[in-house]
Amino acid sequence: MTNTQKHTDFYDNEGKPAWKAWLTTTDHKRIGLLYFYSLTVFFLVGVLLGLMMRFELISPGKDLVEAQTYNGLFTLHGVIMIFLFVIPGIPAVFGNLTLPLLLGARDVAFPKLNLLSWYLYIGGAILALSTLLVGDGPPDTGWTFYAPYSVKTGTNVSMAVLSAFILGFSSILTGLNFLTTIHRMRCPGMTWFRMPLFAWALYATSWIQLLATPVVGITLLMIVVERWLGIGLFDPVLGGDPVLYQHLFWIYSHPAVYIMILPGMGVISEIIPTFSRRRIFGYKAIAYASLAIAFIGYFVWGHHMFTAGMSGPARIIFSVLTFLVAIPSAIKVFNWLATMYNGSIDLKPPMLYALGFIFLFLIGGLSGLVVGALATDVHLHDTYFVVGHFHYVMFGGTGFAFFAALHYWFPKIFGRMYNIKHATRAFWLLFTGFNVLYFPMLVLGIMGMPRRYYDYLPQFQIPNVISTVGSWITVAGLIYMIVVIVKGIRNGEKAAANPWNGLTLDWQTDSPPTKENFDVIPTVTERPYEYK
Amino acid sequence: MNTGASTFTQGVDTAFIVILSISVLFLVGITTAMIWFVIKYNRKRNPKPKDVKDNTRLEVIWTVIPTLLVLVMFYFGWIGYKPMRNVPNGAIEVKATGRMWSWQFDYQNGKQSNILVVPLGKPVKLNLYSPDVLHSLYIPAFRIKEDVVPGLNNYMWFQAEREGEFDILCAEYCGVQHSYMLSKVKIVPEEEFLTWFNTTETVLDTLESVGLQVLKKNGCVACHSQDGSKIVGPTFKGLFGSQRKVTDLQGNVKTVTADELYVERSIYEPNAEVVEGYNKNLMVSYKEQISPDEIKEIVNYLKSLNEKK
């Protein structure tokens, strides 16, 4: 290449008006940022709803809202957090921002389809939020839309369910796009086992998105059909079967849990070797563990239904399989730990978030074993223990991995650096608040407090008060983090192209990258993370 | 935590202890190692990393040992759970009805109660029935829970080992009053139980009219208030004789007078005429539960509400 002049980065609108340049872009980095900003908005709405729920629960009886409003709050909190933040989450934002960079490609395989996915996402999201404003009030079924209540309630369930249906297509198309990209667009020399582990995690995730999402799409449509046409699918009064709904719902929604956590694990697998300056330990074991989780994850849905009236043998088989799916996750944790051994560890914010992830994910995973066993699950099923458990996995796991990814790729995306000292302090505030918020829920569950309770018996008050105080600390931590990030974007110091000394291809190009990512498509000759 | 309140608690609590102990061990072990590595291999102290080769034997070890450990956990979970599904012969059978939003217990001699009274040390089987949506009968002290699924004959059983009163809660979300769908299980010595059981008197408060007793027995008052406040269904206060704006099955809005026939229609065909401002499909027909004679009593009670003022 004789062309030595400085390329403009991907923020250049090339003479178009900014709104047009962004809303019609097919650049994976811009689409990633569109997702980033829209996800952040919905995440904050979800946080606000959660904060209101926790405030209501500070003491028995009414504190803030009526029971009906509270039921709408927890339904929308769940729908927004699951369908608008955690499921699209890391793949839509950081997958889009970095996957082509990690593979040494100029874009994803289908850039226009990628933009369509974002529009579907926004369409579904607007529909979900509009249930607040139009119709007969927000849905009050919980995010699971369990029949027959979801068929009977007069609230705006149909619209919420349709929005989840549309969001499903966004997810399917993103999965399809990433699968094709990973199969077809790897740069010369990048064999499967030279792929960064984040790409492996996205690969496993994409298969789940592609194969499992249609099941929930059809199931949710069946609810709409039952509500509008009165065809008895799930309501026994009309001749339907409510347990069938649960099967269909969890056949998707359990694998969906791995859509949520696998990409997070992928992020951690990038960060730990970079900040330990060590070749990742057990590269193949981690890659295969991702595939194993995606595969076994299809066969454990029944553990959501141990008390629903399944046959005895089904309960036993689902319990065994549930324990087996824990193994690949354990393998990953051990390999991350072994990667730190004899390394040269730099405890910068991305690494802090990664280690925070490991600790919180451990509590989430280990508490999962408690509800995976039959005897203990019968006691804990549908209690606050389950609420605590999945918040440790979804927020402590996926959420912290999201924050880790944000702090890790921040200089790459924005070309600037946030204030390290304040980012570190924000982490500790958030981490502390998180545990004060969610650990009491595990205790409440063991004490026997059921979930989705607007009001509770007096013996449950003390842990509830602690948890509510924790929600305030958590929100303070989030605000602190957001301020640090926003200040970093606005006027952080200019960042070098490779401030963390990463070895993967995303760090071998400009920060922010040019529109086409690489001047020359790179050639790979060895595995990633070969620190010597 | 009421250890020993039922025959299941020991098995369940053993499973808890086994699983939680192994879990805490892993959590503490891994976290300690993590902190130790961060300190020992900190970049300041250890600027040059040492390369460590992959080790297949290590991978096998940390695959096999956790697998064995989780199978141990599964085993204790299974053993603690197994007796919950094997009902002994001769268990006292009680039909437990969960409806929006109250519990009702029907004994085989026809006795009905809003709290579950059972004898100490005797197996009791609950046949679970729901006329409307999902509920879940949960007795934390006994470590048992089973969903009450409309259209499905679920069951659960227990044997209490200690006298006293324990909470019954609904664990499956069922609508606006979900957290108020509470009851008690009262464990009494066998003689006391038999005395209670053989008293056919179901009246809780003899001053109550028969009509109100029917309404309470069938859980109507969970959704219909007696004091004019709006819950889920229209209040009983001032209902009788009033002009009601209703929507019929064809979707036509009309005004009807709340007379005897209206009351009967509302109980037997609740969706035929839905009062404006309330939702369809929330109430099911009580044709099987409430007789025409009982409806007369309900009407008398509704009339009496108008007289009080």
Side-chain angles (χ1 to χ4, degrees), chain A residues 387-388 391-392 395 433-442 467 474:
Chain A
V387 181
H391 278 93
Y392 265 98
F395 186 5
F434 181 95
N435 286 294
V436 180
L437 168 55
Y438 295 112
F439 199 81
M441 294 191 183
L442 299 175
S467 176
T474 306

Side-chain angles (χ1 to χ4, degrees), chain A residues 171-220:
Chain A
S171 186
I172 293 170
L173 294 180
T174 302
L176 181 74
N177 219 335
F178 285 180
L179 282 179
T180 319
T181 307
I182 292 169
H183 270 275
R184 306 296 303 168
M185 313 260 299
R186 282 171 284 133
C187 67
M190 186 175 283
T191 59
W192 282 93
F193 288 115
R194 283 182 191 161
M195 231 171 32
L197 284 164
F198 183 47
W200 266 108
L202 287 175
Y203 183 71
T205 308
S206 299
W207 274 115
I208 313 176
Q209 288 177 294
L210 192 69
L211 296 180
T213 316
V215 181
V216 81
I218 302 233
T219 310
L220 295 175

Side-chain angles (χ1 to χ4, degrees), chain A residues 4 462 474:
Chain A
T4 52
I462 293 171
T474 306

Side-chain angles (χ1 to χ4, degrees), chain A residues 127 144-145 150-151 157-169 213-234 245 248-249:
Chain A
L127 206 55
T144 47
F145 302 113
S150 57
V151 178
V157 168
S158 304
M159 206 150 145
V161 158
L162 280 177
S163 88
F165 179 78
I166 294 171
L167 291 167
F169 275 96
T213 316
V215 181
V216 81
I218 302 233
T219 310
L220 295 175
L221 268 196
M222 284 162 86
I223 290 226
V224 175
V225 165
E226 184 154 359
R227 282 178 70 89
W228 287 356
L229 306 177
I231 296 172
L233 298 164
F234 304 127
Y245 175 81
L248 290 172
F249 182 80

